[in-house]
mmCIF file with all atom_site columns, all heavy atoms in Angstrom:
data_model
loop_
_atom_site.group_PDB
_atom_site.id
_atom_site.type_symbol
_atom_site.label_atom_id
_atom_site.label_alt_id
_atom_site.label_comp_id
_atom_site.label_asym_id
_atom_site.label_entity_id
_atom_site.label_seq_id
_atom_site.pdbx_PDB_ins_code
_atom_site.Cartn_x
_atom_site.Cartn_y
_atom_site.Cartn_z
_atom_site.occupancy
_atom_site.B_iso_or_equiv
_atom_site.pdbx_formal_charge
_atom_site.auth_seq_id
_atom_site.auth_comp_id
_atom_site.auth_asym_id
_atom_site.auth_atom_id
_atom_site.pdbx_PDB_model_num
ATOM 1   N N   . ILE A 1 353 ? 6.973  15.837 7.939  1.00 0.00 ? 353 ILE A N   1
ATOM 2   C CA  . ILE A 1 353 ? 6.419  16.095 9.272  1.00 0.00 ? 353 ILE A CA  1
ATOM 3   C C   . ILE A 1 353 ? 4.895  15.978 9.340  1.00 0.00 ? 353 ILE A C   1
ATOM 4   O O   . ILE A 1 353 ? 4.357  15.283 10.203 1.00 0.00 ? 353 ILE A O   1
ATOM 5   C CB  . ILE A 1 353 ? 6.895  17.478 9.777  1.00 0.00 ? 353 ILE A CB  1
ATOM 6   C CG1 . ILE A 1 353 ? 8.372  17.407 10.151 1.00 0.00 ? 353 ILE A CG1 1
ATOM 7   C CG2 . ILE A 1 353 ? 6.110  17.909 10.998 1.00 0.00 ? 353 ILE A CG2 1
ATOM 8   C CD1 . ILE A 1 353 ? 8.997  18.735 10.528 1.00 0.00 ? 353 ILE A CD1 1
ATOM 9   N N   . PRO A 1 354 ? 4.129  16.625 8.449  1.00 0.00 ? 354 PRO A N   1
ATOM 10  C CA  . PRO A 1 354 ? 2.675  16.515 8.539  1.00 0.00 ? 354 PRO A CA  1
ATOM 11  C C   . PRO A 1 354 ? 2.148  15.070 8.323  1.00 0.00 ? 354 PRO A C   1
ATOM 12  O O   . PRO A 1 354 ? 1.169  14.673 8.903  1.00 0.00 ? 354 PRO A O   1
ATOM 13  C CB  . PRO A 1 354 ? 2.158  17.442 7.439  1.00 0.00 ? 354 PRO A CB  1
ATOM 14  C CG  . PRO A 1 354 ? 3.286  17.672 6.542  1.00 0.00 ? 354 PRO A CG  1
ATOM 15  C CD  . PRO A 1 354 ? 4.510  17.576 7.365  1.00 0.00 ? 354 PRO A CD  1
ATOM 16  N N   . VAL A 1 355 ? 2.847  14.310 7.462  1.00 0.00 ? 355 VAL A N   1
ATOM 17  C CA  . VAL A 1 355 ? 2.422  12.915 7.229  1.00 0.00 ? 355 VAL A CA  1
ATOM 18  C C   . VAL A 1 355 ? 2.689  12.097 8.500  1.00 0.00 ? 355 VAL A C   1
ATOM 19  O O   . VAL A 1 355 ? 1.864  11.244 8.831  1.00 0.00 ? 355 VAL A O   1
ATOM 20  C CB  . VAL A 1 355 ? 3.221  12.310 6.030  1.00 0.00 ? 355 VAL A CB  1
ATOM 21  C CG1 . VAL A 1 355 ? 2.659  10.959 5.674  1.00 0.00 ? 355 VAL A CG1 1
ATOM 22  C CG2 . VAL A 1 355 ? 3.183  13.243 4.831  1.00 0.00 ? 355 VAL A CG2 1
ATOM 23  N N   . ALA A 1 356 ? 3.813  12.331 9.171  1.00 0.00 ? 356 ALA A N   1
ATOM 24  C CA  . ALA A 1 356 ? 4.088  11.599 10.392 1.00 0.00 ? 356 ALA A CA  1
ATOM 25  C C   . ALA A 1 356 ? 3.033  11.862 11.461 1.00 0.00 ? 356 ALA A C   1
ATOM 26  O O   . ALA A 1 356 ? 2.666  10.981 12.220 1.00 0.00 ? 356 ALA A O   1
ATOM 27  C CB  . ALA A 1 356 ? 5.473  11.992 10.894 1.00 0.00 ? 356 ALA A CB  1
ATOM 28  N N   . LYS A 1 357 ? 2.523  13.099 11.496 1.00 0.00 ? 357 LYS A N   1
ATOM 29  C CA  . LYS A 1 357 ? 1.496  13.437 12.502 1.00 0.00 ? 357 LYS A CA  1
ATOM 30  C C   . LYS A 1 357 ? 0.194  12.669 12.220 1.00 0.00 ? 357 LYS A C   1
ATOM 31  O O   . LYS A 1 357 ? -0.530 12.265 13.134 1.00 0.00 ? 357 LYS A O   1
ATOM 32  C CB  . LYS A 1 357 ? 1.242  14.933 12.479 1.00 0.00 ? 357 LYS A CB  1
ATOM 33  C CG  . LYS A 1 357 ? 2.417  15.744 13.098 1.00 0.00 ? 357 LYS A CG  1
ATOM 34  C CD  . LYS A 1 357 ? 2.128  17.217 13.050 1.00 0.00 ? 357 LYS A CD  1
ATOM 35  C CE  . LYS A 1 357 ? 3.313  18.040 13.657 1.00 0.00 ? 357 LYS A CE  1
ATOM 36  N NZ  . LYS A 1 357 ? 3.030  19.493 13.594 1.00 0.00 ? 357 LYS A NZ  1
ATOM 37  N N   . VAL A 1 358 ? -0.066 12.434 10.950 1.00 0.00 ? 358 VAL A N   1
ATOM 38  C CA  . VAL A 1 358 ? -1.264 11.668 10.581 1.00 0.00 ? 358 VAL A CA  1
ATOM 39  C C   . VAL A 1 358 ? -1.178 10.255 11.076 1.00 0.00 ? 358 VAL A C   1
ATOM 40  O O   . VAL A 1 358 ? -2.138 9.708  11.637 1.00 0.00 ? 358 VAL A O   1
ATOM 41  C CB  . VAL A 1 358 ? -1.495 11.697 9.033  1.00 0.00 ? 358 VAL A CB  1
ATOM 42  C CG1 . VAL A 1 358 ? -2.513 10.697 8.613  1.00 0.00 ? 358 VAL A CG1 1
ATOM 43  C CG2 . VAL A 1 358 ? -1.872 13.082 8.595  1.00 0.00 ? 358 VAL A CG2 1
ATOM 44  N N   . VAL A 1 359 ? -0.017 9.586  10.879 1.00 0.00 ? 359 VAL A N   1
ATOM 45  C CA  . VAL A 1 359 ? 0.086  8.162  11.272 1.00 0.00 ? 359 VAL A CA  1
ATOM 46  C C   . VAL A 1 359 ? 0.138  8.014  12.801 1.00 0.00 ? 359 VAL A C   1
ATOM 47  O O   . VAL A 1 359 ? -0.098 6.907  13.284 1.00 0.00 ? 359 VAL A O   1
ATOM 48  C CB  . VAL A 1 359 ? 1.302  7.481  10.653 1.00 0.00 ? 359 VAL A CB  1
ATOM 49  C CG1 . VAL A 1 359 ? 1.246  7.528  9.123  1.00 0.00 ? 359 VAL A CG1 1
ATOM 50  C CG2 . VAL A 1 359 ? 2.628  8.077  11.136 1.00 0.00 ? 359 VAL A CG2 1
ATOM 51  N N   . MET A 1 360 ? 0.382  9.079  13.539 1.00 0.00 ? 360 MET A N   1
ATOM 52  C CA  . MET A 1 360 ? 0.315  9.015  14.988 1.00 0.00 ? 360 MET A CA  1
ATOM 53  C C   . MET A 1 360 ? -1.119 8.628  15.433 1.00 0.00 ? 360 MET A C   1
ATOM 54  O O   . MET A 1 360 ? -1.320 7.891  16.402 1.00 0.00 ? 360 MET A O   1
ATOM 55  C CB  . MET A 1 360 ? 0.727  10.320 15.623 1.00 0.00 ? 360 MET A CB  1
ATOM 56  C CG  . MET A 1 360 ? 2.228  10.598 15.530 1.00 0.00 ? 360 MET A CG  1
ATOM 57  S SD  . MET A 1 360 ? 2.679  12.187 16.204 1.00 0.00 ? 360 MET A SD  1
ATOM 58  C CE  . MET A 1 360 ? 4.455  12.151 16.059 1.00 0.00 ? 360 MET A CE  1
ATOM 59  N N   . VAL A 1 361 ? -2.081 9.174  14.729 1.00 0.00 ? 361 VAL A N   1
ATOM 60  C CA  . VAL A 1 361 ? -3.499 8.873  15.006 1.00 0.00 ? 361 VAL A CA  1
ATOM 61  C C   . VAL A 1 361 ? -3.758 7.396  14.730 1.00 0.00 ? 361 VAL A C   1
ATOM 62  O O   . VAL A 1 361 ? -4.390 6.682  15.534 1.00 0.00 ? 361 VAL A O   1
ATOM 63  C CB  . VAL A 1 361 ? -4.428 9.771  14.233 1.00 0.00 ? 361 VAL A CB  1
ATOM 64  C CG1 . VAL A 1 361 ? -5.891 9.425  14.533 1.00 0.00 ? 361 VAL A CG1 1
ATOM 65  C CG2 . VAL A 1 361 ? -4.186 11.241 14.485 1.00 0.00 ? 361 VAL A CG2 1
ATOM 66  N N   . GLY A 1 362 ? -3.291 6.932  13.559 1.00 0.00 ? 362 GLY A N   1
ATOM 67  C CA  . GLY A 1 362 ? -3.459 5.549  13.200 1.00 0.00 ? 362 GLY A CA  1
ATOM 68  C C   . GLY A 1 362 ? -2.849 4.583  14.188 1.00 0.00 ? 362 GLY A C   1
ATOM 69  O O   . GLY A 1 362 ? -3.430 3.553  14.538 1.00 0.00 ? 362 GLY A O   1
ATOM 70  N N   . ALA A 1 363 ? -1.636 4.895  14.637 1.00 0.00 ? 363 ALA A N   1
ATOM 71  C CA  . ALA A 1 363 ? -0.931 4.037  15.589 1.00 0.00 ? 363 ALA A CA  1
ATOM 72  C C   . ALA A 1 363 ? -1.698 3.947  16.913 1.00 0.00 ? 363 ALA A C   1
ATOM 73  O O   . ALA A 1 363 ? -1.754 2.859  17.527 1.00 0.00 ? 363 ALA A O   1
ATOM 74  C CB  . ALA A 1 363 ? 0.508  4.543  15.826 1.00 0.00 ? 363 ALA A CB  1
ATOM 75  N N   . THR A 1 364 ? -2.267 5.047  17.364 1.00 0.00 ? 364 THR A N   1
ATOM 76  C CA  . THR A 1 364 ? -3.012 5.054  18.601 1.00 0.00 ? 364 THR A CA  1
ATOM 77  C C   . THR A 1 364 ? -4.231 4.123  18.547 1.00 0.00 ? 364 THR A C   1
ATOM 78  O O   . THR A 1 364 ? -4.508 3.358  19.475 1.00 0.00 ? 364 THR A O   1
ATOM 79  C CB  . THR A 1 364 ? -3.436 6.496  18.971 1.00 0.00 ? 364 THR A CB  1
ATOM 80  O OG1 . THR A 1 364 ? -2.263 7.342  19.007 1.00 0.00 ? 364 THR A OG1 1
ATOM 81  C CG2 . THR A 1 364 ? -4.143 6.521  20.302 1.00 0.00 ? 364 THR A CG2 1
ATOM 82  N N   . ILE A 1 365 ? -4.961 4.205  17.427 1.00 0.00 ? 365 ILE A N   1
ATOM 83  C CA  . ILE A 1 365 ? -6.153 3.349  17.293 1.00 0.00 ? 365 ILE A CA  1
ATOM 84  C C   . ILE A 1 365 ? -5.749 1.913  17.090 1.00 0.00 ? 365 ILE A C   1
ATOM 85  O O   . ILE A 1 365 ? -6.384 0.984  17.596 1.00 0.00 ? 365 ILE A O   1
ATOM 86  C CB  . ILE A 1 365 ? -7.014 3.846  16.094 1.00 0.00 ? 365 ILE A CB  1
ATOM 87  C CG1 . ILE A 1 365 ? -7.484 5.302  16.363 1.00 0.00 ? 365 ILE A CG1 1
ATOM 88  C CG2 . ILE A 1 365 ? -8.237 2.939  15.920 1.00 0.00 ? 365 ILE A CG2 1
ATOM 89  C CD1 . ILE A 1 365 ? -8.229 5.918  15.184 1.00 0.00 ? 365 ILE A CD1 1
ATOM 90  N N   . MET A 1 366 ? -4.643 1.715  16.376 1.00 0.00 ? 366 MET A N   1
ATOM 91  C CA  . MET A 1 366 ? -4.168 0.332  16.143 1.00 0.00 ? 366 MET A CA  1
ATOM 92  C C   . MET A 1 366 ? -3.753 -0.325 17.455 1.00 0.00 ? 366 MET A C   1
ATOM 93  O O   . MET A 1 366 ? -3.823 -1.571 17.578 1.00 0.00 ? 366 MET A O   1
ATOM 94  C CB  . MET A 1 366 ? -2.995 0.341  15.201 1.00 0.00 ? 366 MET A CB  1
ATOM 95  C CG  . MET A 1 366 ? -2.524 -1.032 14.749 1.00 0.00 ? 366 MET A CG  1
ATOM 96  S SD  . MET A 1 366 ? -3.748 -1.971 13.854 1.00 0.00 ? 366 MET A SD  1
ATOM 97  C CE  . MET A 1 366 ? -3.547 -1.263 12.196 1.00 0.00 ? 366 MET A CE  1
ATOM 98  N N   . SER A 1 367 ? -3.356 0.439  18.464 1.00 0.00 ? 367 SER A N   1
ATOM 99  C CA  . SER A 1 367 ? -2.972 -0.124 19.751 1.00 0.00 ? 367 SER A CA  1
ATOM 100 C C   . SER A 1 367 ? -4.124 -0.889 20.391 1.00 0.00 ? 367 SER A C   1
ATOM 101 O O   . SER A 1 367 ? -3.909 -1.764 21.239 1.00 0.00 ? 367 SER A O   1
ATOM 102 C CB  . SER A 1 367 ? -2.474 0.980  20.688 1.00 0.00 ? 367 SER A CB  1
ATOM 103 O OG  . SER A 1 367 ? -3.542 1.802  21.111 1.00 0.00 ? 367 SER A OG  1
ATOM 104 N N   . LEU A 1 368 ? -5.323 -0.555 20.019 1.00 0.00 ? 368 LEU A N   1
ATOM 105 C CA  . LEU A 1 368 ? -6.520 -1.241 20.501 1.00 0.00 ? 368 LEU A CA  1
ATOM 106 C C   . LEU A 1 368 ? -7.000 -2.291 19.509 1.00 0.00 ? 368 LEU A C   1
ATOM 107 O O   . LEU A 1 368 ? -7.323 -3.426 19.876 1.00 0.00 ? 368 LEU A O   1
ATOM 108 C CB  . LEU A 1 368 ? -7.640 -0.221 20.773 1.00 0.00 ? 368 LEU A CB  1
ATOM 109 C CG  . LEU A 1 368 ? -7.299 0.901  21.762 1.00 0.00 ? 368 LEU A CG  1
ATOM 110 C CD1 . LEU A 1 368 ? -8.421 1.954  21.763 1.00 0.00 ? 368 LEU A CD1 1
ATOM 111 C CD2 . LEU A 1 368 ? -7.043 0.362  23.123 1.00 0.00 ? 368 LEU A CD2 1
ATOM 112 N N   . GLY A 1 369 ? -7.036 -1.906 18.238 1.00 0.00 ? 369 GLY A N   1
ATOM 113 C CA  . GLY A 1 369 ? -7.601 -2.770 17.196 1.00 0.00 ? 369 GLY A CA  1
ATOM 114 C C   . GLY A 1 369 ? -6.834 -4.077 17.027 1.00 0.00 ? 369 GLY A C   1
ATOM 115 O O   . GLY A 1 369 ? -7.431 -5.142 16.879 1.00 0.00 ? 369 GLY A O   1
ATOM 116 N N   . PHE A 1 370 ? -5.506 -4.009 17.042 1.00 0.00 ? 370 PHE A N   1
ATOM 117 C CA  . PHE A 1 370 ? -4.724 -5.221 16.787 1.00 0.00 ? 370 PHE A CA  1
ATOM 118 C C   . PHE A 1 370 ? -4.783 -6.189 17.958 1.00 0.00 ? 370 PHE A C   1
ATOM 119 O O   . PHE A 1 370 ? -4.680 -7.401 17.785 1.00 0.00 ? 370 PHE A O   1
ATOM 120 C CB  . PHE A 1 370 ? -3.250 -4.861 16.492 1.00 0.00 ? 370 PHE A CB  1
ATOM 121 C CG  . PHE A 1 370 ? -2.517 -5.956 15.781 1.00 0.00 ? 370 PHE A CG  1
ATOM 122 C CD1 . PHE A 1 370 ? -2.948 -6.477 14.579 1.00 0.00 ? 370 PHE A CD1 1
ATOM 123 C CD2 . PHE A 1 370 ? -1.389 -6.531 16.376 1.00 0.00 ? 370 PHE A CD2 1
ATOM 124 C CE1 . PHE A 1 370 ? -2.263 -7.488 13.944 1.00 0.00 ? 370 PHE A CE1 1
ATOM 125 C CE2 . PHE A 1 370 ? -0.696 -7.550 15.746 1.00 0.00 ? 370 PHE A CE2 1
ATOM 126 C CZ  . PHE A 1 370 ? -1.121 -8.014 14.516 1.00 0.00 ? 370 PHE A CZ  1
#
Side-chain angles (χ1 to χ4, degrees):
I353 288 174
V355 189
K357 290 179 179 179
V358 168
V359 299
M360 288 178 176
V361 179
T364 304
I365 300 174
M366 186 63 81
S367 71
L368 304 172
F370 199 59

